[in-house]
Amino acid sequence: MSRPYRVAILGATGAVGQELLELLESRNFPLADLKLLASARSAGQKISFKGESLAVEAVDDKSFDGIDIVLASAGGSTSKAMAPKAVEAGAVVIDNSSAFRMNPEVPLVVPEVNPEAASEHKGIIANPNCTTILMAVAVYPLHKVKKIRRIIAATYQSASGAGAKAMAEVQTQASAILSGQQPVASIFPYPLAFNLFPHNTPLNEMGYCEEEMKMVNETRKIFGTQEIRVSATCVRVPVLRAHSEAINLEFDEPFDKDEARKILSSAPGVKLVDDWQGNYFPMPIDATGRDEVLVGRIRQDISHNCGLELWLCGDQIRKGAALNAVQIAELLVEKNIVKPKLAVALT
Amino acid sequence: MSRPYRVAILGATGAVGQELLELLESRNFPLADLKLLASARSAGQKISFKGESLAVEAVDDKSFDGIDIVLASAGGSTSKAMAPKAVEAGAVVIDNSSAFRMNPEVPLVVPEVNPEAASEHKGIIANPNCTTILMAVAVYPLHKVKKIRRIIAATYQSASGAGAKAMAEVQTQASAILSGQQPVASIFPYPLAFNLFPHNTPLNEMGYCEEEMKMVNETRKIFGTQEIRVSATCVRVPVLRAHSEAINLEFDEPFDKDEARKILSSAPGVKLVDDWQGNYFPMPIDATGRDEVLVGRIRQDISHNCGLELWLCGDQIRKGAALNAVQIAELLVEKNIVKPKLAVALT
């Protein structure tokens, strides 16, 4: 039996925070204590956990005293301000924001890919970007067998990547359009219902948006190689909470599609949905609420003799964010990377 | 002044047929007479054209007597049965179905790309597949300057590609979901509202669906070269009537993005929507109802020194189908490729 840990969730009231709570409960994480932290605005809000009603506390410098593990999902600026305080208090922070991901002192971990990196932490472990996690889980098992040289990705990203309010916005817009009214956009810059647009994060001087550069740089860091070349086109689509990705892979040598399918059929975190008879492949509605990344349409790229094409869908809130963070926490427990300060179980 | 032509629309009551009517009227096509043809089921239906009410006639072997140009948009099996009858009657058929596209005797024409092919017709001219037309208009101006070696495309295809009933279905599904009910799928195999799925046309032994192989084979035929390698992932998305495409191009040599942008800024049928300051690029809602293919996000591919990435949106019913067909008809008139049998104008 694992010893019990004192855990804090920072950003407990958001879409990812809610999923973190659900996962800690359903996966029976060995908790001694659970603290729910958020901005002062959300303080006092009650959240049910394992039949108990827990009050959300406003986060401050003292919030992390005695805490073993912090699951942070409150945005980059909150993480930048608060993670160092938590580390100072002796906690390990698993951070869902992009604040520390490319910091060379901070491991960037997908447990199915580079679990060993977690033990090199100096107090903070970063959870990768959602699109990157989903792609990494699907393509790393192939990379282990034959090196990937180049990836060209096109994404179909759900509203949930921009939070719970964005999910509500696309539904409100759809409702307006269906009753003949103009859709109103406030979270997103443009209407998303019955529409789509390139991901609206800031663009760099090469013309790639931040989301795309995350796929480029985080993939390299997670795979531990600077030699994979990646190009991506990230697009927001009117889907609620599962991302899809069309992935073109180029290897150093030919990779047989049947071998790829066999490898992925038993790869951790992957569920093969590759029904050629039924013309049935991964869809967001099937990925929603699931832990696995659904992968299918694995085929030889007819434009390149060392190419493979594949298609994936994964729950953006779950494996794209909350589940990966909880899996990292489980890794810290299993590998004894974090030792609990308390020895008294939550009863 | 152009001489007047006797034109028949086959499939006048469908989504593309309706758009053909609108375009013949708004573009003031030199008509002597307009005959509306459809299946027996739609016969008798009245359609307004230039203030007149025209009755839809059931198509039969005699429907094409005296007709100069047939705009056919009634599906592959109707075209296969009826186009030879129309040719026998002395008409030129511009066929929107896939029935004749890859027939070596039949020109496959995008007027901005290969107008010269139209004059080689033997009675039938094929209108390409919608995704292929949109891509061809956007990338051919670059191919003319430096040869394209390879294209990797991922599409975001609207419901309209499956007809007017499919457009209605996605709206009905959205409405059901918003009121907490299960969406019903009948035109498409799966719910499309707030969902998406790989294009559901039959798959070949290589794992490419028919829609994807159209992009491969039709692009080569239109560009007049078998040397362009193409791979595509075609995906149906919950958008009503404009398709989007993420296009990765590989050339024989480096292609500067600023040169590409300059070429596309004056390319026929293209509207550059490439606002890097405003992070504003082509969107389906902006492409809907427009003649041009909107092209933007033109950037150097950071994964390949001879690569360019671009993003496009185009109205599937308009340039993807009806407009391209009417432009071919205009070409036949302008170049005197078809001579009218009558010399009496419609008064």
Side-chain angles (χ1 to χ4, degrees):
Chain A
M1 286 293 287
S2 304
R3 292 163 303 167
Y5 289 76
R6 298 191 66 188
V7 172
I9 295 179
L10 177 56
T13 55
V16 174
Q18 290 295 300
E19 199 77 13
L20 286 167
L21 277 157
E22 198 280 311
L23 288 164
L24 291 177
E25 180 163 344
S26 63
R27 295 169 74 92
N28 214 15
F29 189 86
L31 288 172
D33 188 25
L34 180 62
K35 198 171 201 173
L36 304 185
L37 301 169
S39 65
R41 198 162 29 92
S42 299
Q45 201 176 309
K46 294 283 166 70
I47 292 178
S48 155
F49 181 78
K50 288 191 173 180
E52 274 189 89
S53 174
L54 303 181
V56 176
E57 299 172 40
V59 63
D60 65 29
D61 293 7
K62 303 281 169 224
S63 298
F64 307 103
D65 291 350
I67 296 292
D68 299 308
I69 296 171
V70 178
L71 296 163
S73 184
S77 57
T78 304
S79 283
K80 265 185 197 153
M82 288 300 159
K85 310 278 182 195
V87 174
E88 230 169 82
V92 174
V93 179
I94 300 166
D95 183 38
N96 199 49
S97 82
S98 62
F100 302 102
R101 286 182 193 149
M102 295 311 297
N103 183 328
E105 304 270 286
V106 174
L108 184 65
V109 176
V110 177
E112 292 89 343
V113 177
N114 61 340
E116 68 289 349
S119 57
E120 289 156 28
H121 80 85
K122 294 181 168 64
I124 302 174
I125 298 172
N127 207 37
N129 171 52
C130 47
T131 44
T132 308
I133 294 176
L134 302 178
M135 181 167 82
V137 168
V139 311
Y140 186 72
L142 305 176
H143 178 74
K144 269 206 302 191
V145 176
K146 290 179 182 174
K147 292 273 166 292
I148 295 173
R149 181 198 293 174
R150 184 181 179 211
I151 302 175
I152 299 168
T155 72
Y156 302 67
Q157 297 186 224
S158 62
S160 60
K165 282 181 188 162
M167 295 167 76
E169 178 162 294
V170 67
Q171 290 172 294
T172 307
Q173 289 170 350
S175 182
I177 291 167
L178 290 171
S179 54
Q181 277 147 25
Q182 285 298 314
V184 177
S186 63
I187 305 291
F188 291 120
Y190 314 107
L192 183 56
F194 303 112
N195 192 33
L196 50 83
F197 44 81
H199 202 278
N200 58 299
T201 39
L203 300 156
N204 71 8
E205 69 291 346
M206 290 298 293
Y208 284 74
C209 71
E210 278 182 3
E211 186 78 2
E212 291 161 352
M213 290 314 296
K214 288 172 185 173
M215 293 185 81
V216 175
N217 295 321
E218 294 182 18
T219 302
R220 288 177 172 170
K221 181 167 176 177
I222 297 161
F223 285 20
T225 171
Q226 289 304 304
E227 284 171 24
I228 295 182
R229 288 173 281 134
V230 181
S231 183
T233 300
C234 289
V235 179
R236 191 73 78 182
V237 296
V239 166
L240 294 179
R241 64 174 274 175
H243 286 357
S244 307
E245 303 179 23
I247 308 275
N248 181 289
L249 298 172
E250 189 180 314
F251 296 87
D252 278 336
E253 53 184 315
F255 203 131
D256 181 73
K257 71 175 194 311
D258 295 323
E259 191 194 346
R261 195 175 291 133
K262 191 165 168 235
I263 291 164
L264 290 174
S265 70
S266 62
V270 169
K271 180 174 163 58
L272 210 60
V273 179
D274 205 35
D275 174 3
W276 293 87
Q277 295 307 312
N279 207 331
Y280 177 72
F281 301 105
M283 293 192 286
I285 51 172
D286 289 340
T288 295
R290 286 197 75 111
D291 288 350
E292 305 96 334
V293 179
L294 310 186
V295 182
R297 292 212 77 201
I298 302 154
R299 55 198 157 118
Q300 235 62 61
D301 175 356
I302 55 171
S303 77
H304 197 292
N305 69 329
C306 299
L308 273 185
E309 295 265 16
L310 57 83
W311 168 253
L312 68 84
C313 295
D315 189 310
Q316 185 273 327
I317 305 179
R318 216 166 170 97
K319 182 59 187 172
L323 174 63
N324 198 72
V326 171
Q327 287 175 317
I328 294 171
E330 290 170 346
L331 197 60
L332 299 179
V333 170
E334 282 160 28
K335 304 284 181 199
N336 214 13
I337 298 168
V338 176
K339 293 171 191 63
K341 300 185 190 76
L342 272 180
V344 186
L346 183 72
T347 50
Chain B
M1 286 293 286
S2 303
R3 291 162 303 165
Y5 289 75
R6 298 189 67 186
V7 172
I9 296 179
L10 177 56
T13 56
V16 174
Q18 290 295 302
E19 200 76 11
L20 285 168
L21 276 158
E22 198 281 308
L23 287 163
L24 290 177
E25 179 162 343
S26 65
R27 295 170 74 91
N28 214 18
F29 189 86
L31 288 172
D33 187 26
L34 180 62
K35 198 171 200 172
L36 303 185
L37 301 170
S39 64
R41 199 165 26 93
S42 298
Q45 201 174 310
K46 293 282 164 71
I47 293 178
S48 153
F49 181 78
K50 288 194 174 178
E52 274 188 90
S53 174
L54 303 181
V56 176
E57 300 171 40
V59 63
D60 65 30
D61 292 8
K62 303 281 167 223
S63 296
F64 306 104
D65 291 351
I67 297 292
D68 298 308
I69 297 171
V70 177
L71 296 164
S73 185
S77 57
T78 304
S79 284
K80 266 185 195 153
M82 288 298 159
K85 310 278 182 195
V87 174
E88 230 169 82
V92 174
V93 179
I94 300 167
D95 183 38
N96 199 51
S97 82
S98 62
F100 302 102
R101 286 182 193 149
M102 296 311 295
N103 183 328
E105 304 271 286
V106 173
L108 185 66
V109 176
V110 177
E112 292 88 344
V113 177
N114 61 339
E116 68 290 349
S119 58
E120 289 157 27
H121 80 86
K122 294 182 169 62
I124 302 175
I125 297 171
N127 206 39
N129 171 53
C130 46
T131 45
T132 308
I133 293 175
L134 302 178
M135 181 167 83
V137 168
V139 310
Y140 186 72
L142 305 176
H143 178 72
K144 269 207 302 190
V145 176
K146 289 179 181 174
K147 292 273 166 291
I148 295 173
R149 180 197 292 174
R150 184 180 180 212
I151 302 175
I152 298 168
T155 72
Y156 303 67
Q157 298 185 224
S158 62
S160 60
K165 283 180 186 162
M167 296 168 75
E169 178 162 294
V170 68
Q171 291 172 294
T172 308
Q173 288 171 350
S175 181
I177 292 167
L178 290 171
S179 54
Q181 279 147 21
Q182 286 297 315
V184 177
S186 63
I187 305 291
F188 291 121
Y190 314 108
L192 183 56
F194 302 113
N195 192 33
L196 50 85
F197 45 80
H199 203 279
N200 59 299
T201 39
L203 300 156
N204 70 10
E205 72 289 348
M206 291 297 294
Y208 284 73
C209 70
E210 279 182 3
E211 186 79 1
E212 291 161 352
M213 291 313 296
K214 289 172 185 173
M215 294 185 79
V216 176
N217 295 321
E218 295 182 17
T219 302
R220 288 176 173 171
K221 181 167 176 178
I222 297 162
F223 285 21
T225 171
Q226 291 302 305
E227 283 171 25
I228 296 182
R229 287 173 281 134
V230 181
S231 184
T233 300
C234 289
V235 178
R236 191 72 78 181
V237 296
V239 166
L240 294 180
R241 62 174 276 174
H243 285 358
S244 306
E245 304 179 24
I247 308 276
N248 181 287
L249 298 172
E250 190 181 315
F251 296 87
D252 278 335
E253 53 184 315
F255 203 131
D256 181 72
K257 70 174 193 313
D258 295 323
E259 191 194 346
R261 196 175 291 133
K262 191 166 168 235
I263 291 164
L264 289 174
S265 70
S266 61
V270 169
K271 181 175 161 61
L272 210 61
V273 178
D274 205 35
D275 174 3
W276 294 87
Q277 296 308 312
N279 207 330
Y280 177 71
F281 301 106
M283 292 193 286
I285 51 172
D286 289 340
T288 295
R290 286 197 75 111
D291 288 351
E292 304 96 335
V293 178
L294 311 185
V295 182
R297 292 212 77 201
I298 302 155
R299 56 199 156 116
Q300 235 62 60
D301 175 355
I302 54 172
S303 77
H304 197 293
N305 69 329
C306 298
L308 273 185
E309 294 265 17
L310 59 84
W311 169 254
L312 68 83
C313 295
D315 189 309
Q316 184 273 327
I317 304 179
R318 217 167 167 95
K319 183 59 188 172
L323 175 62
N324 197 73
V326 171
Q327 287 174 318
I328 293 172
E330 290 170 348
L331 196 60
L332 298 179
V333 170
E334 280 159 30
K335 304 284 181 199
N336 214 13
I337 299 169
V338 177
K339 293 171 190 64
K341 299 186 189 76
L342 271 181
V344 186
L346 184 72
T347 50

